[in-house]
Amino acid sequence: QEQLAESGGGSVQAGGSLILSCQPSRHGVSNYHMAWFRQAPGKEREGIASIRKNGGSPAYVDAVKGRFVISQDSVNNKWYLQMSNLKPEDTGVYTCAAGPNFWGGGLKPEIWSYWGQGTQVNVSS
């Protein structure tokens, strides 16, 4: 069973930046499509960014477009979510997901086979 390990969460002031990483335990990142989800307090989990297993076709929800960048690093076998110009509404638990299948924009949770444990991001005003 594949496992995903996340790191990089923390607390930052509005306007700041954070980089999240996600690493599969058994296979290379090029074996999986991948997405980042987040769950804000009191809200449902939402997909915010996805990337294909070839490292291409990044997709974002409008709320993070232009501020977040999803990427794949085959050398270090990690995926990243670079978050800049963070806003208080970006606060939440961020979770990576990966799997062999992809459809639509890759932002629906039912697509994904493997999930990380989640990492907390707090953005203060």
Side-chain angles (χ1 to χ4, degrees):
Q1 179 79 357
E2 184 64 83
Q3 293 183 330
L4 304 178
E6 299 162 7
S7 62
S11 297
V12 65
Q13 288 191 325
S17 301
L18 284 173
I19 300 176
L20 307 182
S21 67
C22 175
Q23 184 168 35
S25 62
R26 298 191 63 186
H27 299 292
V29 291
S30 60
N31 287 278
Y32 303 119
H33 308 294
M34 184 269 181
W36 286 96
F37 286 76
R38 74 180 176 191
Q39 187 166 19
K43 295 188 177 181
E44 291 188 357
R45 183 171 56 187
E46 63 169 340
I48 58 172
S50 66
I51 193 167
R52 304 293 186 99
K53 64 182 180 181
N54 65 357
S57 303
Y60 306 91
V61 293
D62 287 345
V64 307
K65 202 173 291 183
R67 300 188 298 121
F68 291 10
V69 176
I70 187 171
S71 61
Q72 178 174 296
D73 180 351
S74 297
V75 173
N76 293 298
N77 203 40
K78 291 183 178 182
W79 295 285
Y80 298 101
L81 185 68
Q82 297 173 268
M83 307 186 293
S84 59
N85 191 21
L86 283 160
K87 303 176 180 181
E89 51 264 42
D90 294 318
T91 293
V93 177
Y94 285 69
T95 307
C96 62
N101 302 312
F102 188 97
W103 68 84
L107 299 180
K108 296 185 181 298
E110 56 264 34
I111 295 173
W112 306 102
S113 301
Y114 310 113
W115 292 84
Q117 78 282 3
T119 186
Q120 180 71 43
V121 171
N122 295 311
V123 184
S124 59
S125 58

